[in-house]
PDB file of all heavy atoms in Angstrom:
ATOM      1  N   HIS A 158     -34.495-163.414 154.244  1.00 93.00           N
ATOM      2  CA  HIS A 158     -33.192-164.050 154.543  1.00 93.00           C
ATOM      3  C   HIS A 158     -32.616-163.408 155.775  1.00 93.00           C
ATOM      4  O   HIS A 158     -32.658-162.215 155.952  1.00 93.00           O
ATOM      5  CB  HIS A 158     -32.194-163.967 153.405  1.00 93.00           C
ATOM      6  CG  HIS A 158     -32.516-164.793 152.183  1.00 93.00           C
ATOM      7  ND1 HIS A 158     -31.889-164.722 151.032  1.00 93.00           N
ATOM      8  CD2 HIS A 158     -33.357-165.837 152.136  1.00 93.00           C
ATOM      9  CE1 HIS A 158     -32.338-165.673 150.185  1.00 93.00           C
ATOM     10  NE2 HIS A 158     -33.283-166.321 150.796  1.00 93.00           N
ATOM     11  N   GLU A 159     -32.010-164.259 156.619  1.00 92.00           N
ATOM     12  CA  GLU A 159     -31.372-163.697 157.820  1.00 92.00           C
ATOM     13  C   GLU A 159     -30.019-163.124 157.512  1.00 92.00           C
ATOM     14  O   GLU A 159     -29.624-162.135 158.107  1.00 92.00           O
ATOM     15  CB  GLU A 159     -31.104-164.810 158.846  1.00 92.00           C
ATOM     16  CG  GLU A 159     -32.425-165.447 159.415  1.00 92.00           C
ATOM     17  CD  GLU A 159     -33.049-164.385 160.432  1.00 92.00           C
ATOM     18  OE1 GLU A 159     -32.339-163.478 160.868  1.00 92.00           O
ATOM     19  OE2 GLU A 159     -34.278-164.550 160.694  1.00 92.00           O
ATOM     20  N   TYR A 160     -29.241-163.699 156.651  1.00 93.00           N
ATOM     21  CA  TYR A 160     -27.863-163.276 156.409  1.00 93.00           C
ATOM     22  C   TYR A 160     -27.822-162.343 155.203  1.00 93.00           C
ATOM     23  O   TYR A 160     -28.487-162.586 154.147  1.00 93.00           O
ATOM     24  CB  TYR A 160     -26.946-164.493 156.039  1.00 93.00           C
ATOM     25  CG  TYR A 160     -26.560-165.296 157.297  1.00 93.00           C
ATOM     26  CD1 TYR A 160     -27.571-166.025 157.960  1.00 93.00           C
ATOM     27  CD2 TYR A 160     -25.294-165.358 157.692  1.00 93.00           C
ATOM     28  CE1 TYR A 160     -27.216-166.764 159.055  1.00 93.00           C
ATOM     29  CE2 TYR A 160     -24.949-166.074 158.792  1.00 93.00           C
ATOM     30  CZ  TYR A 160     -25.891-166.823 159.497  1.00 93.00           C
ATOM     31  OH  TYR A 160     -25.505-167.581 160.582  1.00 93.00           O
ATOM     32  N   MET A 161     -27.008-161.223 155.357  1.00 95.00           N
ATOM     33  CA  MET A 161     -26.845-160.312 154.244  1.00 95.00           C
ATOM     34  C   MET A 161     -25.405-159.908 154.207  1.00 95.00           C
ATOM     35  O   MET A 161     -24.620-159.909 155.274  1.00 95.00           O
ATOM     36  CB  MET A 161     -27.713-159.113 154.327  1.00 95.00           C
ATOM     37  CG  MET A 161     -29.174-159.423 154.235  1.00 95.00           C
ATOM     38  SD  MET A 161     -30.278-157.982 154.149  1.00 95.00           S
ATOM     39  CE  MET A 161     -29.968-157.378 152.457  1.00 95.00           C
ATOM     40  N   TYR A 162     -24.845-159.534 153.061  1.00 95.00           N
ATOM     41  CA  TYR A 162     -23.377-159.322 152.791  1.00 95.00           C
ATOM     42  C   TYR A 162     -23.173-158.173 151.868  1.00 95.00           C
ATOM     43  O   TYR A 162     -24.022-157.953 150.966  1.00 95.00           O
ATOM     44  CB  TYR A 162     -22.764-160.591 152.150  1.00 95.00           C
ATOM     45  CG  TYR A 162     -23.193-161.879 152.712  1.00 95.00           C
ATOM     46  CD1 TYR A 162     -24.383-162.528 152.380  1.00 95.00           C
ATOM     47  CD2 TYR A 162     -22.379-162.517 153.619  1.00 95.00           C
ATOM     48  CE1 TYR A 162     -24.719-163.777 152.940  1.00 95.00           C
ATOM     49  CE2 TYR A 162     -22.680-163.749 154.155  1.00 95.00           C
ATOM     50  CZ  TYR A 162     -23.888-164.355 153.800  1.00 95.00           C
ATOM     51  OH  TYR A 162     -24.235-165.569 154.343  1.00 95.00           O
ATOM     52  N   TRP A 163     -22.144-157.475 152.062  1.00 97.00           N
ATOM     53  CA  TRP A 163     -21.669-156.496 151.089  1.00 97.00           C
ATOM     54  C   TRP A 163     -20.268-156.925 150.552  1.00 97.00           C
ATOM     55  O   TRP A 163     -19.270-157.210 151.342  1.00 97.00           O
ATOM     56  CB  TRP A 163     -21.490-155.103 151.650  1.00 97.00           C
ATOM     57  CG  TRP A 163     -22.787-154.351 151.659  1.00 97.00           C
ATOM     58  CD1 TRP A 163     -23.548-154.042 152.712  1.00 97.00           C
ATOM     59  CD2 TRP A 163     -23.386-153.665 150.571  1.00 97.00           C
ATOM     60  NE1 TRP A 163     -24.670-153.333 152.302  1.00 97.00           N
ATOM     61  CE2 TRP A 163     -24.571-153.101 150.993  1.00 97.00           C
ATOM     62  CE3 TRP A 163     -23.080-153.626 149.149  1.00 97.00           C
ATOM     63  CZ2 TRP A 163     -25.416-152.376 150.157  1.00 97.00           C
ATOM     64  CZ3 TRP A 163     -23.947-152.941 148.324  1.00 97.00           C
ATOM     65  CH2 TRP A 163     -25.097-152.307 148.829  1.00 97.00           C
ATOM     66  N   TYR A 164     -20.086-156.973 149.254  1.00 96.00           N
ATOM     67  CA  TYR A 164     -18.864-157.295 148.578  1.00 96.00           C
ATOM     68  C   TYR A 164     -18.417-156.150 147.731  1.00 96.00           C
ATOM     69  O   TYR A 164     -19.233-155.418 147.213  1.00 96.00           O
ATOM     70  CB  TYR A 164     -18.945-158.534 147.700  1.00 96.00           C
ATOM     71  CG  TYR A 164     -19.296-159.887 148.383  1.00 96.00           C
ATOM     72  CD1 TYR A 164     -20.589-160.244 148.651  1.00 96.00           C
ATOM     73  CD2 TYR A 164     -18.220-160.714 148.756  1.00 96.00           C
ATOM     74  CE1 TYR A 164     -20.847-161.469 149.196  1.00 96.00           C
ATOM     75  CE2 TYR A 164     -18.513-161.925 149.394  1.00 96.00           C
ATOM     76  CZ  TYR A 164     -19.790-162.314 149.594  1.00 96.00           C
ATOM     77  OH  TYR A 164     -20.104-163.506 150.167  1.00 96.00           O
ATOM     78  N   ARG A 165     -17.118-156.053 147.429  1.00 97.00           N
ATOM     79  CA  ARG A 165     -16.699-155.228 146.333  1.00 97.00           C
ATOM     80  C   ARG A 165     -15.922-156.067 145.286  1.00 97.00           C
ATOM     81  O   ARG A 165     -15.275-157.086 145.696  1.00 97.00           O
ATOM     82  CB  ARG A 165     -15.782-154.128 146.831  1.00 97.00           C
ATOM     83  CG  ARG A 165     -14.524-154.480 147.495  1.00 97.00           C
ATOM     84  CD  ARG A 165     -13.711-153.225 147.925  1.00 97.00           C
ATOM     85  NE  ARG A 165     -13.064-152.587 146.822  1.00 97.00           N
ATOM     86  CZ  ARG A 165     -12.403-151.446 146.801  1.00 97.00           C
ATOM     87  NH1 ARG A 165     -12.298-150.775 147.979  1.00 97.00           N
ATOM     88  NH2 ARG A 165     -11.870-150.939 145.720  1.00 97.00           N
ATOM     89  N   GLN A 166     -16.100-155.670 144.077  1.00 95.00           N
ATOM     90  CA  GLN A 166     -15.467-156.442 142.961  1.00 95.00           C
ATOM     91  C   GLN A 166     -14.466-155.501 142.219  1.00 95.00           C
ATOM     92  O   GLN A 166     -14.912-154.470 141.598  1.00 95.00           O
ATOM     93  CB  GLN A 166     -16.432-157.085 141.973  1.00 95.00           C
ATOM     94  CG  GLN A 166     -15.818-157.937 140.929  1.00 95.00           C
ATOM     95  CD  GLN A 166     -16.833-158.619 140.060  1.00 95.00           C
ATOM     96  OE1 GLN A 166     -17.874-158.015 139.734  1.00 95.00           O
ATOM     97  NE2 GLN A 166     -16.572-159.855 139.633  1.00 95.00           N
ATOM     98  N   ASP A 167     -13.209-155.897 142.110  1.00 93.00           N
ATOM     99  CA  ASP A 167     -12.221-155.098 141.487  1.00 93.00           C
ATOM    100  C   ASP A 167     -11.554-156.037 140.419  1.00 93.00           C
ATOM    101  O   ASP A 167     -11.457-157.183 140.574  1.00 93.00           O
ATOM    102  CB  ASP A 167     -11.175-154.588 142.439  1.00 93.00           C
ATOM    103  CG  ASP A 167     -11.809-153.771 143.536  1.00 93.00           C
ATOM    104  OD1 ASP A 167     -12.263-152.633 143.209  1.00 93.00           O
ATOM    105  OD2 ASP A 167     -11.767-154.170 144.685  1.00 93.00           O
ATOM    106  N   PRO A 168     -11.090-155.436 139.334  1.00 84.00           N
ATOM    107  CA  PRO A 168     -10.518-156.245 138.197  1.00 84.00           C
ATOM    108  C   PRO A 168      -9.393-157.131 138.724  1.00 84.00           C
ATOM    109  O   PRO A 168      -8.513-156.697 139.401  1.00 84.00           O
ATOM    110  CB  PRO A 168     -10.051-155.163 137.214  1.00 84.00           C
ATOM    111  CG  PRO A 168     -10.937-153.974 137.511  1.00 84.00           C
ATOM    112  CD  PRO A 168     -11.160-153.986 138.976  1.00 84.00           C
ATOM    113  N   GLY A 169      -9.490-158.387 138.321  1.00 76.00           N
ATOM    114  CA  GLY A 169      -8.418-159.309 138.646  1.00 76.00           C
ATOM    115  C   GLY A 169      -8.346-159.815 140.077  1.00 76.00           C
ATOM    116  O   GLY A 169      -7.481-160.571 140.495  1.00 76.00           O
ATOM    117  N   MET A 170      -9.297-159.320 140.900  1.00 77.00           N
ATOM    118  CA  MET A 170      -9.240-159.651 142.377  1.00 77.00           C
ATOM    119  C   MET A 170     -10.477-160.424 142.863  1.00 77.00           C
ATOM    120  O   MET A 170     -10.568-160.650 144.085  1.00 77.00           O
ATOM    121  CB  MET A 170      -9.068-158.368 143.179  1.00 77.00           C
ATOM    122  CG  MET A 170      -7.786-157.593 142.818  1.00 77.00           C
ATOM    123  SD  MET A 170      -7.480-156.320 143.999  1.00 77.00           S
ATOM    124  CE  MET A 170      -6.963-157.272 145.426  1.00 77.00           C
ATOM    125  N   GLY A 171     -11.399-160.651 141.955  1.00 83.00           N
ATOM    126  CA  GLY A 171     -12.649-161.382 142.436  1.00 83.00           C
ATOM    127  C   GLY A 171     -13.474-160.576 143.381  1.00 83.00           C
ATOM    128  O   GLY A 171     -13.265-159.297 143.433  1.00 83.00           O
ATOM    129  N   LEU A 172     -14.339-161.180 144.093  1.00 92.00           N
ATOM    130  CA  LEU A 172     -15.150-160.422 145.066  1.00 92.00           C
ATOM    131  C   LEU A 172     -14.554-160.523 146.424  1.00 92.00           C
ATOM    132  O   LEU A 172     -14.160-161.638 146.813  1.00 92.00           O
ATOM    133  CB  LEU A 172     -16.596-160.967 145.058  1.00 92.00           C
ATOM    134  CG  LEU A 172     -17.513-160.491 143.957  1.00 92.00           C
ATOM    135  CD1 LEU A 172     -17.280-161.239 142.746  1.00 92.00           C
ATOM    136  CD2 LEU A 172     -18.952-160.630 144.431  1.00 92.00           C
ATOM    137  N   ARG A 173     -14.525-159.458 147.227  1.00 93.00           N
ATOM    138  CA  ARG A 173     -14.043-159.452 148.509  1.00 93.00           C
ATOM    139  C   ARG A 173     -15.134-158.998 149.495  1.00 93.00           C
ATOM    140  O   ARG A 173     -15.817-157.932 149.176  1.00 93.00           O
ATOM    141  CB  ARG A 173     -12.780-158.611 148.694  1.00 93.00           C
ATOM    142  CG  ARG A 173     -11.531-159.241 147.887  1.00 93.00           C
ATOM    143  CD  ARG A 173     -10.384-158.286 148.011  1.00 93.00           C
ATOM    144  NE  ARG A 173     -10.550-156.987 147.346  1.00 93.00           N
ATOM    145  CZ  ARG A 173      -9.802-155.980 147.501  1.00 93.00           C
ATOM    146  NH1 ARG A 173      -8.745-156.060 148.308  1.00 93.00           N
ATOM    147  NH2 ARG A 173     -10.056-154.863 146.840  1.00 93.00           N
ATOM    148  N   LEU A 174     -15.263-159.654 150.573  1.00 93.00           N
ATOM    149  CA  LEU A 174     -16.285-159.346 151.555  1.00 93.00           C
ATOM    150  C   LEU A 174     -15.876-158.112 152.418  1.00 93.00           C
ATOM    151  O   LEU A 174     -14.834-157.978 152.953  1.00 93.00           O
ATOM    152  CB  LEU A 174     -16.516-160.471 152.478  1.00 93.00           C
ATOM    153  CG  LEU A 174     -17.628-160.373 153.507  1.00 93.00           C
ATOM    154  CD1 LEU A 174     -18.979-160.358 152.851  1.00 93.00           C
ATOM    155  CD2 LEU A 174     -17.575-161.546 154.525  1.00 93.00           C
ATOM    156  N   ILE A 175     -16.830-157.136 152.407  1.00 96.00           N
ATOM    157  CA  ILE A 175     -16.586-155.874 153.221  1.00 96.00           C
ATOM    158  C   ILE A 175     -17.185-156.046 154.650  1.00 96.00           C
ATOM    159  O   ILE A 175     -16.403-155.928 155.626  1.00 96.00           O
ATOM    160  CB  ILE A 175     -17.218-154.716 152.524  1.00 96.00           C
ATOM    161  CG1 ILE A 175     -16.757-154.570 151.081  1.00 96.00           C
ATOM    162  CG2 ILE A 175     -16.953-153.407 153.302  1.00 96.00           C
ATOM    163  CD1 ILE A 175     -17.526-153.520 150.221  1.00 96.00           C
ATOM    164  N   HIS A 176     -18.396-156.240 154.730  1.00 96.00           N
ATOM    165  CA  HIS A 176     -19.103-156.441 155.993  1.00 96.00           C
ATOM    166  C   HIS A 176     -20.266-157.443 155.726  1.00 96.00           C
ATOM    167  O   HIS A 176     -20.744-157.613 154.609  1.00 96.00           O
ATOM    168  CB  HIS A 176     -19.753-155.119 156.505  1.00 96.00           C
ATOM    169  CG  HIS A 176     -18.809-154.162 157.108  1.00 96.00           C
ATOM    170  ND1 HIS A 176     -18.261-154.283 158.371  1.00 96.00           N
ATOM    171  CD2 HIS A 176     -18.225-153.018 156.559  1.00 96.00           C
ATOM    172  CE1 HIS A 176     -17.455-153.302 158.611  1.00 96.00           C
ATOM    173  NE2 HIS A 176     -17.414-152.487 157.549  1.00 96.00           N
ATOM    174  N   TYR A 177     -20.760-158.028 156.841  1.00 94.00           N
ATOM    175  CA  TYR A 177     -21.895-158.890 156.735  1.00 94.00           C
ATOM    176  C   TYR A 177     -22.763-158.778 158.000  1.00 94.00           C
ATOM    177  O   TYR A 177     -22.356-158.165 158.964  1.00 94.00           O
ATOM    178  CB  TYR A 177     -21.524-160.330 156.424  1.00 94.00           C
ATOM    179  CG  TYR A 177     -20.736-161.022 157.552  1.00 94.00           C
ATOM    180  CD1 TYR A 177     -21.410-161.863 158.474  1.00 94.00           C
ATOM    181  CD2 TYR A 177     -19.372-160.766 157.745  1.00 94.00           C
ATOM    182  CE1 TYR A 177     -20.608-162.499 159.469  1.00 94.00           C
ATOM    183  CE2 TYR A 177     -18.645-161.444 158.738  1.00 94.00           C
ATOM    184  CZ  TYR A 177     -19.327-162.241 159.579  1.00 94.00           C
ATOM    185  OH  TYR A 177     -18.623-162.873 160.628  1.00 94.00           O
TER     186      TYR A 177
END
Side-chain angles (χ1 to χ4, degrees):
Chain A
H158 287 170
E159 291 289 340
Y160 285 67
M161 296 187 74
Y162 314 81
W163 276 107
Y164 294 89
R165 60 178 289 172
Q166 185 176 36
D167 302 292
M170 300 191 70
L172 278 81
R173 293 180 292 167
L174 183 67
I175 305 171
H176 286 281
Y177 65 100

